[in-house]
Each structure stands twice: as structure tokens, then as C-alpha cells.
Amino acid sequence: MASPELSQFRRIVVKVGSALLVDSDKGEVRASWLAALADDMARLHKDGRDVLVVSSGSIALGRSRLKLPRGPLKLEESQAAAAVGQIALARIWSEVLGAHGIGAGQILVTLQDTEERRRYLNARSTIGKLLEWRAIPVINENDTVATNEIRYGDNDRLAARVATMASADLLVLLSDIDGLYDAPPKNNPNARLIPVVESISSEIEAVAGDAESELSRGGMRTKVEAAKIATTGGTHMLIASGKIEHPLQAIADGGRCTWFLTPANPITSRKRWIAGTLEPKGTLTIDAGAVTALRAGASLLPAGVIKVEGQFARGDAVIVRGPDTSEVGRGLIAYDADEAERIRGRSSPDVMTILGISGRAEMIHRDDLVVGG
């Protein structure tokens, strides 16, 4: 199968690991390399694409700033180093993107932010607003509070979670190797690059190796695991070399890499998850006009809701029924049950007056809504 092209994608997540970003000998960012990467991102951004970054480096930068010795750190030492390094990392990204007139927004996440629906929805909304404002979200695991029991363990899988959460259609993992090989290339001179992986079979999993860099917690095995997460969520993924300058431009020019293909797309995969996996916690009954609007692709506004039933929290799945009680669809509610009850039947401008906050215009956004046939 022919490889896709970078120009086909509208929302791209780029994962940058510590081993690429930070010179381990000097403990400093590779400034010229990062400037070249930012130039690539700016070019994509100027072409109208949404760009997100998942960046490691906070612990590595923190240990450099604090002049900590080499070797493994205890959990509390890693957390403290990350607290120092996160400030440096955010400043670095802000500066290199700001040089192109692009704003950067830092988002720190933990495992619960992608596993708990309420926090997932909050993180998704923040990412969506930054992209709407044409800023580039820079996302990292919050190593200051993450523990061994709850952490992702590597930013490859974090990047895959972020990509599916943001409904990205492409995840780019920049690595110290230019793709997946059928054997370890350092040990086997006859190893061949696998340019396209149409599905992740046991044979593909068998060729994955482990991490080799002191700064990196990931390896080819975690990259293949990330590919499972991404492709299941409707996101294509590729592994490419980040050791060269302008790595994204190299991909656009047809450079060596491995593509992991998905048969779905982010929206249909997400809606399949909403419709078939989540247990509904409540029911909204809507009027005939709202039914017509939803079937035409609109979001559900408070004005169209005539009855609220159940005990649910923001981010929970609810059933949407028409005035004849037939099921119209299912979706993720943007309000707690008591708030939904207070604003049902009211126009969107009334929401702020009733709740005392500037709430969301939609009771259920169309991206979080699955409408039946």
C-alpha cells in the first residue's frame, strides 16, 4: 500500500522526546535543531493545519539547572527536578514558536486526565480552544505529581492518548531511528525498514525493541503500543528520525519513515466509543425542533431540552430522546445534572445569569453526540 503524504492531514500531533531535545552531555536544549523543527511547525501552521506538541524534557532540564549528578533519581527527586524543568521547557517552546508569531500554551496532564471522562472533557476543551485561537498546545506529563503507579511511563503513549483526545488525524513520533525495522538495525546490517504497517500483528509486535537512551523512557516497543492506541482511535501514526534538522520537512519530502495506518477516522472512532462503550447515566428529552436540528448536524442547545432525568456529572454519557420518547442519540453532557435542570428550555444567553458563570453554549456539542438513523 502507498504511504500517505503529510499534506493530507489537518491536525497533527508531534512528539519530541528528551533524547532529541536535550544534549545529555551539556544538559542544554539543542537550540539550532529546535529552531529548525519550529520552522517546520510554523510552515504547517501557516498552511492552516492545527499543530500540537507533546514534549518531554522537564526532568532532564531540571537536573541540568539544579546540577544534579548523573544516574537514576528517586521519585521525589524526579518530581522536584520536573518542577524546575517545566518552567524552562515552557519558556523554550514559547520563544521558538513566538519567533514565528505563534503563541504556545502549556498543558500538563496525568493519566487520570485521559481516563476520567470529566477531566478528559476539560482537557479536550482546553486543547480545542487553543487551536481555535491558532496557538500551539505544548503538552507534557505532569511529572511533578505523577507517581510510578499512575504515570504513562513514556511520552509515546501519552502522545497517542493526546492525539485521540484531540481528534488528530496524524501522530508523528520523532525518534532516534527512522522507523520500524524487521530486525534491530544496530545488530543486523541486513535489517530492512518497514515503510507501511497496515495492521499491528503479532509479527509486528515481535520486532519491537526496548529503550537505549538514558534520557528516554520509551523504545520501539512503546512506539508500537502507542500505534495501537492511535490507530484504534482513528489516528494515523508515523515514526521518523528526529536526529536530522527539519524532520517534518523531510517527511513531507518523502523521507524514510514507518507509517501505521488506521481504517477509521478520529470522529467516527470517538463516536463509536460514545455510542457503544459508555454506560448512560441519564436522559434528556428534547422538543421536535431540537430533534430536527440534531439530525441536521447541530449541537444540542439548552433551549431544546424539555426534561432532565438521572444523576450525572459533566462528561458522562446520556441518552437523548424525542418528545415521543424514542431514542434520538447519545452524547457526552457538558453540565452536571442539577445545572442541566436549571438551564433546560432557556436560551444560551440566559445560562450565565442562571448559573453565575459564562457556561458553554451547548448542552451536548455535536462532536460529542451520536445521532441514530
Side-chain angles (χ1 to χ4, degrees):
M1 178 178 289
S3 302
E5 296 181 1
L6 198 63
S7 59
Q8 297 174 227
F9 300 96
R10 62 172 186 84
R11 180 167 292 179
I12 302 169
V13 176
V14 181
K15 182 263 180 178
V16 180
S18 295
L20 294 176
L21 187 69
V22 180
D23 185 319
S24 59
D25 294 327
K26 299 178 181 178
E28 295 295 334
V29 167
R30 292 187 168 96
S32 63
W33 178 86
L34 184 58
L37 175 61
D39 186 56
D40 288 353
M41 292 179 177
R43 191 175 295 110
L44 292 170
H45 188 270
K46 184 179 179 181
D47 287 343
R49 291 170 177 79
D50 294 335
V51 180
L52 301 86
V53 178
V54 173
S55 175
S56 304
S58 61
I59 295 177
L61 289 172
R63 26 185 334 156
S64 172
R65 299 295 191 272
L66 294 166
K67 296 181 169 56
L68 301 179
R70 284 180 175 271
L73 298 175
K74 297 178 181 178
L75 175 61
E76 63 271 19
E77 292 172 338
S78 293
Q79 291 172 327
V84 174
Q86 281 170 355
I87 294 174
L89 189 64
R91 177 181 58 79
I92 288 163
W93 278 108
S94 179
E95 288 177 354
V96 296
L97 294 173
H100 296 276
I102 302 171
Q106 184 188 48
I107 301 176
L108 301 176
V109 298
T110 60
L111 182 62
Q112 290 101 323
D113 293 315
T114 58
E115 298 297 324
E116 295 178 11
R117 285 194 294 276
R118 187 185 185 96
R119 293 166 68 167
Y120 169 98
L121 218 58
N122 286 335
R124 177 179 164 87
S125 295
T126 300
I127 290 171
K129 184 56 66 174
L130 286 170
L131 294 175
E132 180 185 324
W133 289 341
R134 300 299 293 152
I136 290 183
V138 179
I139 302 157
N140 193 4
E141 183 171 16
N142 192 352
D143 288 310
T144 60
V145 298
T147 67
N148 289 336
E149 290 76 24
I150 65 173
R151 71 185 314 141
Y152 288 94
D154 66 87
N155 273 9
D156 294 327
R157 282 175 288 202
L158 170 60
R161 296 286 187 191
V162 167
T164 57
M165 180 167 61
S167 295
D169 47 8
L170 178 63
L171 167 61
V172 177
L173 298 185
L174 296 179
S175 177
D176 55 2
I177 191 170
D178 55 6
L180 178 66
Y181 283 75
D182 61 3
K186 287 189 176 181
N187 303 329
N188 187 340
N190 297 317
R192 293 180 301 172
L193 179 75
I194 303 172
V196 178
V197 175
E198 294 184 42
S199 63
I200 301 172
S201 62
S202 57
E203 289 79 12
I204 291 296
E205 291 181 294
V207 301
D210 295 318
E212 297 180 2
S213 167
E214 176 186 330
L215 289 178
S216 175
R217 288 200 297 265
M220 194 55 69
R221 185 177 303 279
T222 64
K223 288 174 173 54
V224 171
E225 291 174 1
K228 287 184 187 177
I229 296 169
T231 55
T232 299
T235 301
H236 293 285
M237 193 190 94
L238 70 84
I239 301 169
S241 174
K243 299 180 78 171
I244 59 175
E245 291 203 347
H246 297 286
L248 298 181
Q249 186 58 48
I251 295 167
D253 292 340
R256 289 167 64 84
C257 62
T258 296
W259 288 87
F260 293 82
L261 306 184
T262 177
N265 68 63
I267 299 300
T268 57
S269 294
R270 175 175 165 78
K271 294 198 172 185
R272 190 181 304 118
W273 169 67
I274 293 171
T277 306
L278 301 180
E279 178 186 354
K281 297 297 180 64
T283 301
L284 303 182
T285 302
I286 63 176
D287 61 31
V291 172
T292 301
L294 297 194
R295 295 199 186 283
S299 298
L300 176 60
L301 303 179
V305 179
I306 56 180
K307 187 177 182 181
V308 175
E309 298 174 278
Q311 293 299 316
F312 51 81
R314 180 177 183 233
D316 281 341
V318 296
I319 295 172
V320 180
R321 298 188 182 279
D324 60 355
T325 73
S326 63
E327 183 172 329
V328 177
R330 300 185 179 207
L332 303 184
I333 188 76
Y335 288 95
D336 294 342
D338 61 333
E339 294 173 332
E341 174 62 32
R342 290 167 63 191
I343 64 174
R344 66 175 177 84
R346 306 298 291 268
S347 64
S348 297
D350 291 339
V351 171
M352 182 174 180
T353 303
I354 296 169
L355 299 182
I357 57 172
S358 181
R360 302 156 198 86
E362 307 88 2
M363 189 82 83
I364 303 177
H365 192 278
R366 64 183 179 183
D367 288 348
D368 299 323
L369 181 67
V370 182
V371 178

